Amino acid sequence: PVFSRFSRRHRQFLMLVAAIVVILQLRPFLWDNQLWANGSADMRMCAETNRCRTLERDRRFSFVHISKSGGASWIGELKATGVGALYPEEAAGPEHSVVYQVRNAHQYDHLSYHLTSLRSPRHHTWSLWAECRWDPWGKRTTKKTGFPNSGTDIEGDLKDFTEWIGHFVDEKNHTIYEGRISNDGSYRCYHPANYQSRALTVQAGNPHMPDSAADIFPDTTIARQTYDFMDWVAITEFYHESKCLLYHRMEPNSPSMQEYVDRTCHCRPDNIAAGADVATTDVNVQHYKGRRRKTLWDLPESLLASIADLTSIDVVIYRAALAQFMAEIRWMEAEVGHRVFCESVLEKWEHEFEYLNLSVSELYHYGTYP
């Protein structure tokens, strides 16, 4: 009766105010669970892939260690979880291609979960050179090969890195030299051309170097199919969030994993990841103590163009992996009822990832399952 005393226009205004109040009250819930961000697409992801199912720790785990993508750290993490069986058993173990490891590396592999990790192609390329430059193994294997390693400071490193990239790419014609695929042609270390997608497609026991010129440009479709075949794929740049996802999928069998997820896998009120100031047991394997470059977006444009020439297929796969990873995180957030990915983490990589022609923040908030 009281409401009927107001005019129709006043009633519409009051209803609008009431609706705004309700939305504001529900906003934390909507924010935490990302209900607006293509939830149906994320559910489709669970239905069409194996990326939402529980990983049972008493099963065998097969981790494909793609060089310089965080594999040594992940093997350490998996050992710490107490999985039933793990191949390889040690971080310094074999680094096979996916095809070789699935078909030849160890018994009963068809019963295993298959895992790996991928890294931003630009940053992965720098890390390949740095391993050859600074790691004791890299120094031994490149000795007397002419490998560029004369730099004594950051600028010297840039000069050496530029020379190394120029050994594989014709800067003027934007083409990869096909004659430098041999062991000696790669300084007996790594050949950087599409290294990660090569590990997803070739049948070699050791994909450090291409077996043929054709391996320089792996088949994108096969690389994507192999990526989709994997049961879990970490993103090196989002190590903590990848670990949260791994533990969430294992946690029904482990109170300690549940405790890790509850304690560190959420955002504080200031939108900083809880794990940033909480003591964690994250494994961080570093292979060398040489100088490390904090950013790569500020390298010379010509050098960045040459890196792009070397990693064109890797970029396609990594973009798809990022979109898939964001969908998996949104699925996890809907399960636990709060944010796992914090704005501060996304903002850290915005500028570095511009070369991928995407915004990681927009991909998280509005992206769809690829």
Side-chain angles (χ1 to χ4, degrees):
V2 176
F3 194 66
S4 62
R5 297 175 185 174
F6 296 98
S7 68
R8 183 169 178 271
R9 180 174 296 179
H10 283 139
R11 289 198 299 271
Q12 290 177 334
F13 175 75
L14 291 173
M15 291 173 66
L16 176 62
V17 171
I20 292 174
V21 170
V22 170
I23 290 173
L24 290 175
Q25 289 177 334
L26 290 176
R27 186 171 177 238
F29 176 79
L30 294 171
W31 179 270
D32 284 343
N33 288 280
Q34 295 285 288
L35 296 180
W36 75 91
N38 303 291
S40 61
D42 297 337
M43 293 307 297
R44 178 168 63 85
M45 178 271 295
C46 288
E48 296 180 0
T49 74
N50 52 7
R51 300 290 178 82
C52 300
R53 66 179 181 179
T54 298
L55 298 172
E56 300 171 10
R57 287 194 303 154
D58 58 352
R59 290 270 298 275
R60 296 177 176 87
F61 283 71
S62 171
F63 185 90
V64 175
H65 185 171
I66 300 176
S67 305
K68 308 313 301 168
S69 296
S73 296
W74 285 116
I75 291 169
E77 296 281 11
L78 288 165
K79 289 178 65 177
T81 66
V83 295
L86 174 65
Y87 184 89
E89 296 179 355
E90 300 296 334
E95 297 178 7
H96 302 309
S97 70
V98 175
V99 176
Y100 184 92
Q101 185 152 322
V102 169
R103 291 180 178 175
N104 307 306
H106 60 110
Q107 232 179 356
Y108 309 120
D109 196 70
H110 63 287
L111 299 177
S112 299
Y113 293 124
H114 301 277
L115 304 87
T116 193
S117 55
L118 295 177
R119 188 172 191 174
S120 158
R122 179 182 285 180
H123 300 79
H124 182 251
T125 303
W126 176 275
S127 190
L128 289 173
W129 170 81
E131 171 99 347
C132 299
R133 169 67 177 92
W134 294 109
D135 184 77
W137 166 81
K139 291 180 178 180
R140 288 195 307 272
T141 197
T142 60
K143 190 175 182 179
K144 296 182 180 180
T145 64
F147 177 80
N149 60 1
S150 60
T152 58
D153 55 21
I154 292 293
E155 290 306 312
D157 288 347
L158 178 56
K159 178 177 178 296
D160 289 340
F161 178 70
T162 302
E163 183 180 338
W164 181 71
I165 291 292
H167 178 74
F168 299 103
V169 179
D170 183 335
E171 179 183 325
K172 292 182 179 180
N173 296 320
H174 298 283
T175 56
I176 299 175
Y177 294 120
E178 295 185 0
R180 295 175 180 171
I181 62 173
S182 65
N183 194 14
D184 289 337
S186 304
Y187 302 108
R188 297 200 296 267
C189 199
Y190 300 118
H191 192 300
N194 293 305
Y195 189 100
Q196 295 179 94
S197 50
R198 204 164 72 228
L200 295 176
T201 55
V202 302
Q203 300 187 34
N206 183 340
H208 287 188
M209 273 79 65
D211 285 338
S212 67
D215 291 342
I216 291 175
F217 294 102
D219 187 298
T220 307
T221 300
I222 296 176
R224 178 59 194 269
Q225 289 173 344
T226 306
Y227 165 80
D228 290 338
F229 161 78
M230 308 303 285
D231 293 284
W232 175 84
V233 179
I235 297 296
T236 302
E237 286 72 26
F238 301 120
Y239 188 95
H240 177 67
E241 292 74 20
S242 296
K243 182 175 179 179
C244 289
L245 190 60
L246 175 67
Y247 273 32
H248 176 66
R249 292 178 60 188
M250 286 182 168
E251 73 176 30
N253 301 321
S254 172
S256 63
M257 292 182 188
Q258 174 72 60
E259 191 269 340
Y260 179 91
V261 171
D262 292 344
R263 185 166 56 95
T264 73
C265 299
H266 60 86
C267 299
R268 301 185 324 209
D270 57 2
N271 224 350
I272 303 296
D277 58 359
V278 175
T280 68
T281 56
D282 291 356
V283 176
N284 182 17
V285 176
Q286 295 189 354
H287 294 281
Y288 60 89
K289 297 182 180 180
R291 294 178 288 274
R292 297 175 185 273
R293 193 177 184 94
K294 294 183 178 180
T295 59
L296 297 183
W297 65 266
D298 51 351
L299 293 177
E301 287 296 326
S302 58
L303 178 57
L304 293 177
S306 292
I307 297 173
D309 294 332
L310 277 168
T311 59
S312 58
I313 310 300
D314 279 3
V315 165
V316 172
I317 300 304
Y318 187 75
R319 280 172 52 91
L322 270 182
Q324 169 76 33
F325 182 72
M326 296 301 182
E328 292 173 27
I329 288 292
R330 290 195 300 267
W331 162 77
M332 176 183 173
E333 290 177 334
E335 290 250 307
V336 299
H338 58 71
R339 285 282 297 269
V340 174
F341 236 134
C342 303
E343 294 300 325
S344 58
V345 176
L346 294 167
E347 290 168 1
K348 175 184 175 181
W349 290 101
E350 274 298 315
H351 204 18
E352 284 291 307
F353 280 2
E354 285 181 357
Y355 82 97
L356 297 168
N357 295 318
L358 57 78
S359 161
V360 288
S361 181
E362 290 185 7
L363 190 63
Y364 165 74
H365 286 295
Y366 311 114
T368 58
Y369 166 57

Coordinates of all heavy atoms in Angstrom, one line a residue, residues 264-307:
T264 N 47.6 -20.3 0.9 CA 48.4 -19.5 0.0 C 47.7 -19.1 -1.3 O 48.1 -18.2 -2.0 CB 49.8 -20.1 -0.4 OG1 49.6 -21.2 -1.3 CG2 50.5 -20.6 0.9
C265 N 46.7 -19.9 -1.7 CA 46.1 -19.7 -3.0 C 44.9 -18.8 -3.0 O 43.7 -19.2 -3.4 CB 45.7 -21.1 -3.6 SG 47.2 -22.2 -3.8
H266 N 45.1 -17.6 -2.6 CA 44.0 -16.6 -2.6 C 44.6 -15.2 -2.5 O 45.8 -15.0 -2.3 CB 43.0 -16.8 -1.4 CG 43.7 -16.7 -0.1 ND1 43.8 -15.5 0.6 CD2 44.2 -17.6 0.7 CE1 44.4 -15.7 1.7 NE2 44.7 -17.0 1.9
C267 N 43.8 -14.2 -2.8 CA 44.2 -12.8 -2.8 C 43.9 -12.2 -1.5 O 42.8 -12.4 -1.0 CB 43.6 -12.1 -4.0 SG 44.0 -12.7 -5.6
R268 N 44.8 -11.4 -1.0 CA 44.5 -10.6 0.2 C 43.6 -9.5 -0.2 O 43.4 -9.2 -1.3 CB 45.8 -10.1 0.8 CG 46.8 -11.2 1.2 CD 48.0 -10.6 1.9 NE 48.4 -9.3 1.3 CZ 49.7 -8.8 1.3 NH1 50.7 -9.6 1.8 NH2 50.0 -7.6 0.8
P269 N 43.1 -8.7 0.8 CA 42.2 -7.6 0.5 C 42.9 -6.5 -0.4 O 42.2 -5.8 -1.1 CB 41.9 -7.0 1.9 CG 41.9 -8.2 2.8 CD 43.1 -9.1 2.3
D270 N 44.2 -6.4 -0.3 CA 44.9 -5.4 -1.1 C 45.3 -6.0 -2.5 O 46.1 -5.4 -3.2 CB 46.2 -4.9 -0.4 CG 47.2 -6.1 0.0 OD1 46.9 -7.2 -0.4 OD2 48.2 -5.8 0.6
N271 N 44.7 -7.2 -2.8 CA 44.9 -7.8 -4.1 C 46.3 -8.3 -4.4 O 46.7 -8.4 -5.5 CB 44.4 -6.9 -5.2 CG 43.6 -7.6 -6.3 OD1 43.5 -8.8 -6.2 ND2 43.0 -6.9 -7.2
I272 N 47.0 -8.6 -3.3 CA 48.3 -9.2 -3.4 C 48.1 -10.7 -3.1 O 47.4 -11.1 -2.2 CB 49.3 -8.6 -2.4 CG1 49.5 -7.1 -2.7 CG2 50.7 -9.3 -2.6 CD1 50.0 -6.7 -4.1
A273 N 48.8 -11.6 -3.8 CA 48.7 -13.0 -3.6 C 49.1 -13.3 -2.2 O 50.1 -12.9 -1.7 CB 49.6 -13.8 -4.6
A274 N 48.3 -14.1 -1.5 CA 48.6 -14.5 -0.1 C 50.0 -15.2 0.0 O 50.7 -15.0 1.0 CB 47.5 -15.4 0.4
G275 N 50.4 -16.0 -1.0 CA 51.6 -16.6 -1.0 C 52.8 -15.7 -1.1 O 54.0 -16.1 -0.8
A276 N 52.6 -14.4 -1.4 CA 53.7 -13.5 -1.5 C 54.4 -13.2 -0.1 O 55.6 -12.9 -0.1 CB 53.2 -12.2 -2.1
D277 N 53.7 -13.4 0.9 CA 54.3 -13.1 2.2 C 54.0 -14.2 3.2 O 54.0 -14.0 4.4 CB 53.8 -11.7 2.8 CG 52.2 -11.7 3.0 OD1 51.6 -12.7 2.6 OD2 51.7 -10.7 3.4
V278 N 53.7 -15.4 2.7 CA 53.5 -16.6 3.6 C 54.6 -17.6 3.3 O 55.0 -17.8 2.1 CB 52.2 -17.2 3.3 CG1 52.0 -18.5 4.1 CG2 51.0 -16.3 3.7
A279 N 55.3 -18.1 4.3 CA 56.3 -19.1 4.0 C 55.7 -20.3 3.3 O 54.8 -20.9 3.8 CB 56.9 -19.5 5.4
T280 N 56.3 -20.6 2.1 CA 55.8 -21.7 1.4 C 57.0 -22.7 1.1 O 58.1 -22.4 1.4 CB 55.3 -21.3 0.0 OG1 56.4 -20.8 -0.8 CG2 54.3 -20.2 0.1
T281 N 56.6 -23.9 0.6 CA 57.6 -24.9 0.3 C 57.9 -25.0 -1.2 O 58.3 -26.1 -1.7 CB 57.1 -26.3 0.9 OG1 55.8 -26.6 0.3 CG2 57.0 -26.3 2.4
D282 N 57.6 -23.9 -1.9 CA 57.8 -24.0 -3.3 C 59.3 -24.3 -3.7 O 60.2 -23.8 -3.1 CB 57.5 -22.6 -4.0 CG 56.0 -22.3 -3.9 OD1 55.3 -23.2 -3.4 OD2 55.6 -21.2 -4.3
V283 N 59.4 -25.2 -4.6 CA 60.8 -25.6 -5.1 C 61.2 -24.6 -6.2 O 60.5 -24.3 -7.1 CB 60.7 -27.1 -5.7 CG1 62.1 -27.4 -6.2 CG2 60.3 -28.0 -4.6
N284 N 62.5 -24.2 -6.1 CA 63.0 -23.2 -7.1 C 64.4 -23.6 -7.4 O 65.4 -23.3 -6.7 CB 63.0 -21.8 -6.5 CG 63.5 -20.8 -7.6 OD1 63.5 -21.1 -8.8 ND2 63.8 -19.6 -7.1
V285 N 64.5 -24.4 -8.5 CA 65.9 -24.9 -8.9 C 66.5 -23.9 -9.9 O 65.9 -23.5 -10.9 CB 65.7 -26.2 -9.7 CG1 67.1 -26.7 -10.2 CG2 65.2 -27.3 -8.7
Q286 N 67.7 -23.4 -9.6 CA 68.4 -22.5 -10.4 C 69.7 -23.2 -10.9 O 70.5 -23.6 -10.1 CB 68.7 -21.2 -9.7 CG 67.5 -20.4 -9.3 CD 67.8 -19.0 -8.8 OE1 68.9 -18.6 -8.6 NE2 66.7 -18.2 -8.6
H287 N 69.9 -23.2 -12.2 CA 71.0 -23.9 -12.7 C 72.3 -23.1 -12.8 O 73.4 -23.7 -13.0 CB 70.7 -24.4 -14.2 CG 69.6 -25.4 -14.2 ND1 69.8 -26.8 -13.9 CD2 68.2 -25.3 -14.5 CE1 68.6 -27.4 -14.0 NE2 67.7 -26.6 -14.3
Y288 N 72.2 -21.8 -12.7 CA 73.5 -21.0 -12.8 C 73.3 -19.8 -11.9 O 72.2 -19.4 -11.5 CB 73.7 -20.7 -14.2 CG 72.6 -19.9 -14.9 CD1 72.6 -18.5 -14.8 CD2 71.6 -20.5 -15.6 CE1 71.6 -17.7 -15.4 CE2 70.6 -19.8 -16.2 CZ 70.6 -18.4 -16.1 OH 69.6 -17.7 -16.7
K289 N 74.4 -19.2 -11.7 CA 74.5 -18.0 -10.8 C 74.9 -16.7 -11.6 O 75.3 -15.7 -11.0 CB 75.4 -18.2 -9.6 CG 75.0 -19.3 -8.7 CD 76.0 -19.5 -7.5 CE 75.5 -20.6 -6.6 NZ 76.4 -20.8 -5.5
G290 N 74.8 -16.8 -12.9 CA 75.2 -15.7 -13.7 C 74.2 -14.5 -13.6 O 73.2 -14.6 -12.9
R291 N 74.5 -13.5 -14.4 CA 73.6 -12.3 -14.4 C 72.3 -12.6 -15.0 O 72.2 -13.3 -16.0 CB 74.3 -11.1 -15.1 CG 75.6 -10.6 -14.5 CD 76.3 -9.6 -15.3 NE 76.9 -10.1 -16.5 CZ 78.1 -10.6 -16.5 NH1 78.8 -10.7 -15.4 NH2 78.6 -11.1 -17.7
R292 N 71.2 -12.1 -14.4 CA 69.8 -12.3 -14.9 C 69.2 -11.0 -15.3 O 69.3 -10.0 -14.6 CB 69.0 -13.0 -13.8 CG 69.6 -14.4 -13.4 CD 68.8 -15.0 -12.2 NE 69.5 -16.3 -11.9 CZ 69.2 -17.5 -12.4 NH1 68.3 -17.6 -13.3 NH2 69.9 -18.5 -12.0
R293 N 68.5 -11.0 -16.4 CA 67.9 -9.8 -16.9 C 66.4 -9.8 -16.5 O 65.7 -10.8 -16.6 CB 68.0 -9.8 -18.4 CG 67.6 -8.5 -19.0 CD 67.8 -8.5 -20.5 NE 67.6 -7.1 -21.1 CZ 68.5 -6.2 -21.3 NH1 69.8 -6.5 -21.1 NH2 68.2 -5.0 -21.8
K294 N 66.0 -8.7 -15.9 CA 64.6 -8.6 -15.3 C 63.6 -8.4 -16.4 O 62.4 -8.9 -16.2 CB 64.6 -7.5 -14.3 CG 65.4 -7.7 -13.0 CD 65.3 -6.6 -12.0 CE 66.1 -6.8 -10.8 NZ 65.9 -5.7 -9.8
T295 N 63.9 -7.7 -17.4 CA 62.9 -7.5 -18.5 C 63.5 -7.7 -19.9 O 64.7 -7.6 -20.1 CB 62.4 -6.0 -18.5 OG1 63.5 -5.1 -18.6 CG2 61.7 -5.7 -17.1
L296 N 62.6 -8.1 -20.8 CA 63.1 -8.3 -22.2 C 62.4 -7.4 -23.2 O 62.8 -7.3 -24.3 CB 62.9 -9.8 -22.6 CG 63.7 -10.8 -21.8 CD1 63.4 -12.2 -22.3 CD2 65.2 -10.6 -21.8
W297 N 61.3 -6.8 -22.8 CA 60.6 -5.9 -23.7 C 61.4 -4.8 -24.2 O 61.2 -4.2 -25.3 CB 59.3 -5.4 -23.1 CG 59.5 -4.5 -21.9 CD1 59.6 -4.8 -20.6 CD2 59.8 -3.0 -22.0 NE1 59.8 -3.7 -19.8 CE2 60.0 -2.6 -20.7 CE3 59.9 -2.1 -23.0 CZ2 60.2 -1.3 -20.4 CZ3 60.2 -0.8 -22.7 CH2 60.3 -0.4 -21.4
D298 N 62.5 -4.4 -23.4 CA 63.3 -3.3 -23.8 C 64.5 -3.6 -24.6 O 65.4 -2.8 -24.7 CB 63.7 -2.5 -22.5 CG 64.3 -3.4 -21.4 OD1 64.2 -4.6 -21.6 OD2 64.8 -2.9 -20.4
L299 N 64.6 -4.9 -25.1 CA 65.7 -5.2 -26.0 C 65.5 -4.5 -27.3 O 64.4 -4.0 -27.7 CB 65.7 -6.7 -26.2 CG 66.0 -7.6 -25.0 CD1 65.9 -9.1 -25.5 CD2 67.4 -7.3 -24.5
P300 N 66.6 -4.3 -28.1 CA 66.5 -3.7 -29.4 C 65.4 -4.3 -30.3 O 65.3 -5.5 -30.3 CB 67.9 -3.8 -30.0 CG 68.8 -4.0 -28.8 CD 68.0 -4.7 -27.8
E301 N 64.7 -3.5 -31.0 CA 63.6 -4.0 -31.9 C 64.1 -5.0 -32.9 O 63.4 -6.0 -33.1 CB 62.9 -2.8 -32.6 CG 62.1 -1.9 -31.7 CD 60.9 -2.7 -31.1 OE1 60.4 -3.6 -31.8 OE2 60.5 -2.4 -30.0
S302 N 65.3 -4.8 -33.5 CA 65.8 -5.8 -34.5 C 66.0 -7.1 -33.8 O 65.8 -8.2 -34.4 CB 67.0 -5.2 -35.1 OG 68.0 -5.0 -34.1
L303 N 66.5 -7.1 -32.6 CA 66.8 -8.4 -31.9 C 65.5 -9.1 -31.5 O 65.3 -10.3 -31.7 CB 67.6 -8.1 -30.6 CG 67.9 -9.3 -29.7 CD1 68.7 -10.4 -30.5 CD2 68.7 -8.8 -28.5
L304 N 64.5 -8.3 -31.1 CA 63.2 -8.9 -30.7 C 62.5 -9.5 -32.0 O 61.9 -10.5 -31.9 CB 62.3 -7.8 -30.1 CG 62.7 -7.3 -28.8 CD1 61.7 -6.2 -28.3 CD2 62.7 -8.4 -27.7
A305 N 62.7 -8.8 -33.1 CA 62.2 -9.4 -34.4 C 62.8 -10.7 -34.7 O 62.2 -11.6 -35.2 CB 62.4 -8.4 -35.5
S306 N 64.1 -10.8 -34.5 CA 64.8 -12.1 -34.8 C 64.4 -13.2 -33.8 O 64.2 -14.4 -34.3 CB 66.3 -11.9 -34.7 OG 66.8 -11.1 -35.7
I307 N 64.1 -12.9 -32.6 CA 63.6 -13.9 -31.6 C 62.2 -14.3 -32.1 O 61.9 -15.5 -32.0 CB 63.5 -13.3 -30.2 CG1 64.9 -12.9 -29.7 CG2 62.8 -14.3 -29.3 CD1 64.9 -12.2 -28.3

